[in-house]
Each structure stands twice: as structure tokens, then as C-alpha cells.
Amino acid sequence: MSRRLQSLLLIMLAAVLACQTERPLAPPEDPHAPYDFAARKGMVVAAHPLAAQAGLEILERGGNAIDAAIATALALNAAEPFASGIGGGGFMVLYLAGENRVTVINFREKAPAASFPEMFHQDGKINLQRRRTHGLAVAVPGALAGWTHALAAYGTLTLADVVGGAIRIAEQGYEVSSTFSKANKDEYEKLIKNDGEDSLYLNHGFPFEAGDIFRNPELARFFRRLAELGTEDFYSGETASRIVEAVQAAGGEMTLEDLAAYRPQEYIPLSGSYGEYTLYSTLPPSCGGLHILQLLGIAQSWPLQEWGHNSPDYIHHMTEAFRFVFADKARYLGDPDFVSIPVGQLISQEHAQAVASRIRPGHTAGRYPSGEFGLEDGVDPNTTHLCVVDKEGNIVSLTQSINHFFGSGIVPADTGFLLNNHMDDFAADPLSPNAPGPHKRPVSNMGPLLLFREGHPYLALGSPGGTRIFPSLTQILLNVTVFDMSLDEAIEAPRFYSHSNLGKAGKLYLEDRISEATRTALEKMGHSLVIKEAFDRYFGGAQGLMLLPDKGLILGGADSRRDGHGAGY
Amino acid sequence: MIKTRHCSLAALAIALLCALPGYAGEEVKFEQPLLISSAGQSAEVQMVAILAKRSDLAYTLIKFASAQDLDGVKTLVLSLGASLKGLGAAGLDVQQEKDRLVQLVEAARARNMPVVCLHLGGQDRRGKLSDDFISTFLPYARLTIVVRSGNQDGLFTRICSQHDIPLIVVEKTVDAIQPFRQAFQ
């Protein structure tokens, strides 16, 4: 009996029992033990149980997947405020079942009009503080415009209808998790600098410890006000003034005109075939989908099953593929409104074969033609991902972020939300296609996606994790489609990551569950290894849904590297 | 109630500490001004500075302090805990950071300047990298203050016991203010 069949039988048994007892079976005590949430009508997976619950409540009230997704996105601002929120932006991929159509909404932040390519250069050096913790680090937030665009175009409820869960979470509070506490400690200096010892994101001036209660009444009040006044207040009213004041007080140059000019974009998705599957994702400036298609194309010529999951040959070949793809990213990627990106060529079979032919078995290539632009490779895990499916079959796969955990650390007065530091996603090199400029969107690694099998939705998936996003998502997709894993097994499986910079190989990062023998073999091939924790947040925190209509089942996978959770009915 | 008891225990530990001889056979005296530095470039060094500020202590915070920065200083305070993010932002690798710290603590020892170590990151600031810094630099301490969740496996207890270093365990970072202040009275 195959592993997937065994998993499926267990899941079906769980679902049957859950339906009989009218209450879901509890996840196992070990958070890392693979566990697929099961439901029959609808499900939400998100990076915090309270946020998933807020989305589920909307589904149960009769809202559709779009309503529930925006409720969850708002709730994450309260339940996981360090990773995303109204002060940031993102991308979402929507499947509209009634129209059998996939569409994408790009609500990525934009650079203020005063931006220019050398804006982070000072005395001949890159000023990292300006990129990350200064007012200049803040890009014009797009989250609210994107959420309300989705609701107006495809939802059945209003912003006021779906914000209730977020208000309740912010008011009532919750126990701080280890993920929250660690992020709070890591970003302490930034919060002290920009929000002071009285910051609501600190506990009497010190980081929250796991088990402390975190409440955000200021955010609850702000959301109530938002429900009353709508998006206009955020982009051209009193809230807009507060945002501009906070950014300018921290040295930034964002203006009221920048906020008033913000518009989200909707466009057809990037799509590509992979065996019996078709993948739909976002176009640049979100590069995740593009690079996943590249990687799947390159991997198609290799006997992955024969090599075995996470075998030395598998990790070596995929690692080399990552490095060649990162070279493409550095050379070509930018905001397509400003630069031309050869998307078709990059995802072509010819390009995949050309890259695959340069990857040598048993040896690193050593050089990865990148052009002249370097690639920043931060260690921050940041960002968040959620997926929703409703009883009609509508699906949302949404990734959103304020960039680094706790964003810029800047909180506009009386709002309770954090502003992003996404200007750090622009390239440092002023000649790069991804150099900052007025109204440009910085390139993002996000890759919310939908995978169709034989013309029907099969998977919704996405992850946070900075530059690790698309390498991690590619591994999860291969775990499901090639290595026959269940969804959460695929998500929890050990991960690896590498990149290239200016033509040179980066180190190979491995979770320490990958065996010593494999590590030794990889070192012999020329890889320089860095061993990470067993379930390391560095590699992201993926959330996904698997749809099995013939069995009447929806399965949810939520990553234990963070606080992922599923809620269905 | 529990917190009060911890604070009382901490006060007792400080009182005992002041009467204890140091490893060189001298009475340990913690005096101001302090130089606060990081051992591993984690963000907790900033928390140590806030503890010092709230304790009304005279201090200077230099994350990458070198031996010369000890001029005019009477106590060296190290925040233990490694962060790849912090090291990366500083453009340092692990070995460079350790080399800097060896020079710093050896210079402090040569000046007969006591070292106080704090580990405020709890369990989250443990793991291979941080443990390496803890094992290497904790033995230089004459007093150690640790948030309890960082000592669940008894690492601090073991090292402090081996080197006769007084160890104060607090529940939370904020609880470290009282023993930290008292050490300098």
C-alpha cells in the first residue's frame, strides 16, 4: 500500500469520525507530526489558529472564499502582527468556480515618488539602516486597497462585515507563541528605536515571552474606525495623515499624494504546464511563480524518484538549479511596468534544458551566469500565507507581508499597526532592473499558487520565507507530485536551500534531519554546508489545501515551523 | 507571590555574592561605569542596556566593543546569545566575533575587571550557535543572570557550578532589573 494511500485512508477515517461526532479530531500533540486537517465543505489554513477560525466563521455565515480570505488576512494583522498587516502588501491568486477562471490581484507596495536608484547610498556605501528601520524603508502600503478590491469584485460581504474577527482577536488578546516571542526578541532593537519603550509591541519595554498575553486595543479601535470610514480614510483621510507623519518623523519622504495615488492591479495569472498539472501563480514583480515553473521545468528531465527523496543526487541537482534560477532573478527581474522581463523565454522548455545541461552530476558548477547585479540574501523569515476554499469551490491563495518581522518598527499614532520595510526589497545596485524609483514595486519572492490536475483545482499553496519561498514551494510540490507524500507530510519534510550571488555559489542550508551520510556526500560534491534546526523558520511556513472532490474531501496542511493551523467544516 | 520570592532569593544571592571571593581569591566588586557588549550579536544586548537604564546605572553600549573601549570602565557586561541576523548585519562571521570577544575578556581579566554575563533570550536563544558562545565566554563571568527558560537543560547551572560563578535565575527579563541593580550597590 503506498504511503499516500495509507495517509488518505487515515484522513478519510478522521473525516468520517469528525462528521459523526460533529467535532474535528484534535491535531497530534507533537506539532511536527504530519497532520492533514480534513473538512467537507470549506476550509481556511493560516499561520495562526485564531486567524483560521476568523475565516471559518465567515464561511459558516455564508460568505464565500474571498470574504473569508480577507477576514483571515485582517485577523492575521491582529493574531500574527509581526508578519503582515494593513501596513504592508502582497499578492493573491483567486479561482472563481462559477466562471472557471483564475485571476490575480497584485497589492504589492509601491515606492514613494521621491525614490531614486541611489537613495540608500551614503558615503559610497549601502546604508542598511535606511533600507530597513528608517522612514525611507517604508513603501506605500497596498494591503487595504487589495483586500477591498477583492471584496468589491468577487466577495459577497463588505469590509465592515469581515473585520469583526480581527477586532475580537485584537481586543481579547491571546497567548504569545514561541514564534511571536522569538521574532519580538530578534526585532527588539528596531521596536525600541522606532516605537519606544512604551510600544504596544513590547511588554513594559521588554519583549513578550511565550505564554504572555498580547492585546492590541489600539488596533481594535482603528479597525472599528476603518469599518466606519472605509478605505478613503486610509489613503486620503486622517489615517493617511498619520501614516505620512510617522514616516516623515522617521526620516522618510512619503507624501499624502503617494498614498492617494495607490491602486492595486488585477491581471491574468502566469501559468505553465508540468506533467499532468497546470500551475497558476503571479507574474512579476512577484517572482515566486515564475521561478517555481523554471525549477519544475528543469527537474522534469531528471529521474527524481530513482534518486530518492532528499538523496545526495536529488539535493545536489535541485541546489544547482536554485543557483542558476537565482542568477536569472538577479539579471532580469524588476517591476514589469518599468522593465522588460523575458518571462516566456525563462519558463520555456529550451531554457530549462539549457540550464539542466549545465548541471553536472557529482560536482558543483562553480559559476552561475548572473549578469552584473548582486542579490541580497537576508536571513529573515518574514511574511505569511493563507488559503481558503468555500463550498462552491472558489479558492484563494494569498501571501502578504510587511517584509521583515515587525516591518520597519514604525507604528502610526493611534493605529496599532506596523508599517512595512519593503523598500529593502529593491536592489542595492542603482543599475539593477530592480533599483528603486518613483512608483516602482520592488521584486518580491512571494509565489501564491494554484495547481490544477487534469483541468481541475488540486492544490492551493504558498509560503513566507524571503528568498527561501520558491525553493521551499518547489520542494513541497515535488514531494506531493513525485514522492507521493500527503500534503502536510510534504510541508513538514526536511528542506534545503541555496542561492547564487554574482555568479558564485552560496552555502547550502539543510535542516538537521537530513542524514550525516547525505551531508558528507554533498560536501564531497563541493557544497559548503550550513546545518539549521530540525524544523527551522528560516525555510518558511507554508500553508496549503488539497482538493479531492471524488472523495468529498478538503485537506489542509499548515507548517509547524511557525504556528500554522487549519479550520474547516 | 512567586515573583516576590524570586526577587527575595535574588537579593539573598547578591548579598552572598558580595561576601564571596572571586576566582582570583579577591572579593568581587561590581562598580560603575559599565561597558555593555554583545557576545553573539543577538538583539538582547539592547535589553541589557534598558535594564541598566532602568537601574540608574552609568553605562556605555558598544555592540562590537574592543579592548580599548575598556578604558575608564569598571565592569564589563556581556549579553550572551548568537544571532545569524545580527552577525550578518554587522558583517561578521562567527570566528571574527569570537576572536573579538576573546581579546575583550582577556583584556578585562588583565585589568582585573569583573565580567557579568546575562542571557535574556530564554529557550529561543539557545541552540548550537548560542551554546558555543555560552560555553566559551560564560566561564569568564563573576556573576550570571539568566531567564529561566534558557536554563531548562541546566547548561548555565553546570557551567556556573564548575567555575564557582554565582547564578541568578529570573522568570522574565523584567525580573532581572532588581538583581542587576543590586549587584552594583
Side-chain angles (χ1 to χ4, degrees), chain A residues 128 178 181-182 185-189 192 197 204-207 209 212 379-380 404 512 531-533, chain B residues 43-44 46-47 50-51 53-54 63 84-85 89 120-122 124-125 127-128 147 149 172-174 177:
Chain A
L128 283 179
S178 162
S181 174
K182 186 167 189 318
K185 287 169 187 164
D186 284 343
E187 303 300 340
Y188 180 72
E189 189 171 354
I192 283 283
E197 285 180 55
H204 303 291
F206 291 104
E209 299 288 346
D212 288 347
V379 298
D380 301 83
H404 295 162
D512 74 0
I531 308 303
K532 305 291 283 182
E533 303 289 329
Chain B
E44 288 87 69
Q46 199 71 43
M47 295 176 213
I50 298 291
L51 286 177
K53 182 183 155 194
R54 293 195 185 176
K63 288 196 265 184
L84 280 177
K85 181 186 167 84
L120 302 178
D124 292 328
R125 195 66 71 196
K128 287 176 198 130
V147 168
S149 68
K172 294 183 177 186
T173 301
V174 70
I177 293 174

Side-chain angles (χ1 to χ4, degrees), chain A residues 405-444:
Chain A
F405 279 160
F406 292 94
S408 60
I410 298 169
V411 181
D414 302 322
T415 64
F417 68 79
L418 288 151
L419 288 167
N420 70 82
N421 62 349
H422 262 131
M423 292 296 286
D424 189 48
D425 274 356
F426 280 114
D429 187 333
L431 297 175
S432 162
N434 187 34
H439 309 301
K440 281 174 86 173
R441 290 176 160 95
V443 169
S444 162

Side-chain angles (χ1 to χ4, degrees), chain A residues 62 174 203 254 317 365 423 427 457 468 539-540 546:
Chain A
Y174 51 89
N203 192 5
M254 190 187 294
H317 281 79
M423 292 296 286
R468 277 79 64 203
F539 296 96
M546 181 181 278

